[in-house]
């Protein structure tokens, strides 16, 4: 197969699946991982996809769920910055919910030394906090998703619906002023909806790539959250919209919008 033809088929595969690992593509096209990595480098330069350490993904389309193993390795400085900001809103004694987003995994790392209760459906967060003596860890089970490395489904939402949280930190696949918080699938959307309903304060933890985009299923309006925590300054129109509904914005630059504590 000619390199140009192979690269086109790589693009078609990732457009269909939204993400793919190097190993998966090497097996499919019967070539070495090194060749795949060279192809991905070329395609990234052409603006056709985004590379990670273990594969590649695209962010277009409303059904755009990207494999969590790939998401864990992208935008690490941005997620770390968000996690450090989020840390200031958690006090010892709090009961919090962390969802299965990779951003919340980095928040969990920031909270390892605190005396809090953490409820989560994320297996990486469970593994990260399992050895922390000061943290009361509550694991929400259900149907296990290998792609998300987390639990979802009726059992997950039923258990969440019986609990209450001081604060929840959620992410989402996309967020826009017009359509609020949206997710790639109904299953992950349902978990975030319940978490918002059961929490006294809700913080949206979202890096710059999530804004002004729309995904398949609606989680809720922007009025359903109390604050946005992000890594980069938002456009002034975002601050105007958030001020109008009393939602604060924290981006690490000292800027805040809205009036909610």
């Amino acid at each position: 197969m000619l390199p140009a033809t192979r690269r086109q088929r790589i693009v078609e595969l990732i457009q269909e699946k939204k993400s793919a690992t190097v190993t998966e593509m090497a097996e499919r096209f019967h070539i070495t991982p090194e060749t795949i990595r060279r192809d991905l480098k070329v395609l990234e330069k052409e603006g056709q996809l985004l590379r990670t350490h273990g594969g590649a993904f695209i962010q277009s389309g409303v059904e755009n769920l990207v494999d969590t193993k790939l998401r864990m390795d992208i935008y690490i400085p941005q997620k770390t910055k968000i996690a450090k900001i989020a840390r200031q809103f958690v006090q010892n004694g709090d009961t919090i919910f962390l969802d299965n987003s990779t951003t919340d995994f980095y928040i969990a790392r920031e909270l390892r030394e605190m005396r809090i209760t953490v409820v989560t459906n994320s297996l990486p967060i469970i593994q990260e906090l399992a050895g922390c003596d000061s943290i009361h860890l509550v694991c929400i089970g259900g149907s296990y998703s290998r792609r998300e490395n987390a639990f979802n489904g009726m059992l997950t939402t039923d258990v969440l619906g019986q609990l209450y949280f001081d604060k929840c930190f959620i992410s989402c696949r996309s967020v826009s002023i017009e359509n609020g918080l949206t997710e790639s699938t109904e299953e992950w959307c349902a978990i975030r909806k319940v978490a918002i309903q059961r929490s006294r304060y809700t913080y949206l933890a979202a890096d710059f790539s999530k804004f002004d985009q729309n995904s398949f299923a609606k989680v809720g309006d922007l009025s359903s959250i109390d604050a946005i925590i992000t890594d980069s300054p938002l456009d002034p129109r975002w601050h105007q919209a958030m001020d109008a509904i009393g939602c604060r914005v924290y981006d690490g630059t000292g800027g805040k919008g809205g009036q909610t504590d």
Side-chain angles (χ1 to χ4, degrees):
M1 185 185 299
L2 293 173
T5 302
R6 184 179 63 244
R7 289 169 190 156
Q8 179 57 38
R9 293 190 179 178
I10 288 172
V11 171
E12 291 171 355
L13 172 66
I14 297 178
Q15 284 176 335
E16 177 185 349
K17 297 186 64 179
K18 307 308 177 186
S19 65
T21 65
V22 168
T23 300
E24 175 186 358
M25 288 183 280
E27 291 175 352
R28 174 172 290 223
F29 297 109
H30 307 292
I31 56 176
T32 65
E34 290 72 20
T35 302
I36 286 291
R37 291 189 181 95
R38 287 195 293 270
D39 285 344
L40 295 179
K41 188 174 182 179
V42 171
L43 292 170
E44 184 177 49
K45 286 184 177 179
E46 294 175 353
Q48 303 216 51
L49 49 75
L50 294 171
R51 285 189 302 153
T52 73
H53 176 71
F57 69 100
I58 61 172
Q59 296 191 133
S60 62
V62 295
E63 292 194 55
N64 50 8
L65 183 64
V66 177
D67 193 301
T68 190
K69 292 187 292 293
L70 298 182
R71 297 202 319 270
M72 194 69 78
D73 293 328
I74 59 175
Y75 306 137
I76 293 175
Q78 291 85 356
K79 293 171 183 176
T80 301
K81 181 177 180 179
I82 289 170
K84 290 184 182 300
I85 298 171
R87 166 66 180 81
Q88 68 181 295
F89 302 114
V90 182
Q91 286 80 44
N92 287 323
D94 278 348
T95 294
I96 69 170
F97 175 77
L98 298 177
D99 70 12
N100 54 287
S101 63
T102 55
T103 303
D104 272 14
F105 171 80
Y106 287 93
I107 292 176
R109 281 190 167 177
E110 285 292 319
L111 304 177
R112 285 177 55 89
E113 304 303 320
M114 298 199 70
R115 298 186 300 279
I116 57 176
T117 294
V118 175
V119 181
T120 186
N121 65 313
S122 163
L123 187 55
I125 292 177
I126 293 169
Q127 294 169 331
E128 179 71 18
L129 300 181
C132 299
D133 293 337
S134 63
I135 289 180
H136 176 210
L137 183 60
V138 179
C139 309
I140 304 297
S143 297
Y144 177 66
S145 165
R146 289 180 176 83
R147 187 169 190 181
E148 277 293 286
N149 206 7
F151 301 93
N152 68 8
M154 181 183 66
L155 290 176
T156 312
T157 53
D158 281 355
V159 172
L160 277 177
Q162 299 176 50
L163 305 176
Y164 294 95
F165 314 109
D166 294 304
K167 294 142 191 172
C168 72
F169 294 86
I170 63 167
S171 192
C172 62
R173 196 69 190 93
S174 307
V175 58
S176 69
I177 293 174
E178 296 77 17
N179 298 311
L181 288 64
T182 50
E183 257 302 334
S184 299
T185 70
E186 294 169 289
E187 292 87 353
W188 303 113
C189 176
I191 291 170
R192 287 157 173 80
K193 279 185 175 180
V194 176
I196 290 171
Q197 293 168 358
R198 309 302 282 183
S199 184
R200 185 179 180 191
Y201 294 111
T202 298
Y203 298 87
L204 174 67
D207 67 63
F208 72 96
S209 68
K210 308 292 183 66
F211 289 87
D212 298 311
Q213 307 286 336
N214 295 297
S215 292
F216 178 65
K218 185 165 184 174
V219 176
D221 294 324
L222 289 168
S223 58
S224 67
I225 62 175
D226 298 293
I228 292 174
I229 306 173
T230 188
D231 59 287
S232 303
L234 296 180
D235 186 277
R237 65 191 182 84
W238 271 92
H239 287 278
Q240 293 169 4
M242 297 304 95
D243 281 341
I245 60 174
C247 178
R248 290 196 174 191
V249 176
Y250 298 89
D251 58 15
T253 64
K256 302 176 186 177
Q259 302 301 319
T260 303
D261 292 329

